[in-house]
Amino acid sequence: MKKYHYTESGLDNIYLVNGFKITKTKSGDEEIYIHDIHGLHKAIGMILISKRGLLHGKEIKFIRSTLDLSQTALARILGCTYQTVLLWEKDKGEISKTADHLLRAIFFAYLDTESGKAIYDKINEISDLDAETVESDHAERIEFEEVSHVWRMVA
């Protein structure tokens, strides 16, 4: 069987051995159907998470697109500007180790649908908190109490 070079992923090195069907349209063009494309993207994602070295531009873009995030949204989560994400994706700037590790952790949490959703949601929640402005320069007083050997914040 013929292998399919899956360039639609945005990555240059993805080839499918099976799990796809190529048909001809009425106009004579080839049309590809990939079985379980979400599963394929998850498998690609798990390889990217585990690869050695820093992520490269097309890999960052694949992850961002799979997460369904704009460059601005990803930048907000990673604590940088959308221009920085744009430069990474064009391989005109190298992603920092910290941003690389956080992006991989976010993507792993996203792909691990059972336990990762809470982590993914918490990371998004934290990035939203970072965007809020604080009205006072002083830290708000937070009080804790121990109840039945468990510490909790006093309401």
Side-chain angles (χ1 to χ4, degrees), residues 90-102:
K90 291 186 174 198
D91 280 326
K92 296 196 182 218
E94 189 175 84
I95 190 170
S96 69
K97 284 184 181 182
T98 304
D100 179 275
H101 295 171
L102 180 56

Side-chain angles (χ1 to χ4, degrees), residues 5-55:
H5 187 191
Y6 182 46
T7 57
E8 295 88 347
S9 68
L11 302 168
D12 298 326
N13 59 339
I14 305 298
Y15 291 84
L16 306 182
V17 175
N18 61 16
F20 65 93
K21 182 178 177 181
I22 299 175
T23 58
K24 295 272 187 191
T25 63
K26 291 181 182 179
S27 63
D29 294 330
E30 285 189 343
E31 188 174 74
I32 180 119
Y33 172 75
I34 297 173
H35 306 189
D36 187 20
I37 196 158
H38 298 293
L40 172 60
H41 284 200
K42 181 175 182 176
I44 294 168
M46 294 305 281
I47 294 299
L48 292 178
I49 289 167
S50 303
K51 83 171 215 98
R52 291 186 178 273
L54 296 174
L55 293 167

Side-chain angles (χ1 to χ4, degrees), residues 37 49-51 56 90 102 106 114 119 133 141 151:
I37 196 158
I49 289 167
S50 303
K51 83 171 215 98
H56 296 288
K90 291 186 174 198
L102 180 56
I106 291 166
E114 288 184 28
I119 296 167
T133 57
R141 181 179 172 138
W151 283 96

Side-chain angles (χ1 to χ4, degrees), residues 87-153:
L87 291 173
W88 293 340
E89 289 183 0
K90 291 186 174 198
D91 280 326
K92 296 196 182 218
E94 189 175 84
I95 190 170
S96 69
K97 284 184 181 182
T98 304
D100 179 275
H101 295 171
L102 180 56
L103 182 55
R104 289 177 198 234
I106 291 166
F107 198 40
F108 179 77
Y110 173 82
L111 293 175
D112 183 18
T113 52
E114 288 184 28
S115 62
K117 175 127 177 54
I119 296 167
Y120 181 74
D121 290 344
K122 183 54 78 177
I123 291 168
N124 276 308
E125 183 183 316
I126 290 167
S127 67
D128 288 340
L129 292 173
D130 187 45
E132 294 176 8
T133 57
V134 179
E135 293 181 18
S136 170
D137 289 338
H138 303 303
E140 177 182 322
R141 181 179 172 138
I142 304 171
E143 295 180 356
F144 292 88
E145 66 181 352
E146 184 183 21
V147 178
S148 302
H149 304 291
V150 176
W151 283 96
R152 66 177 187 187
M153 187 172 79

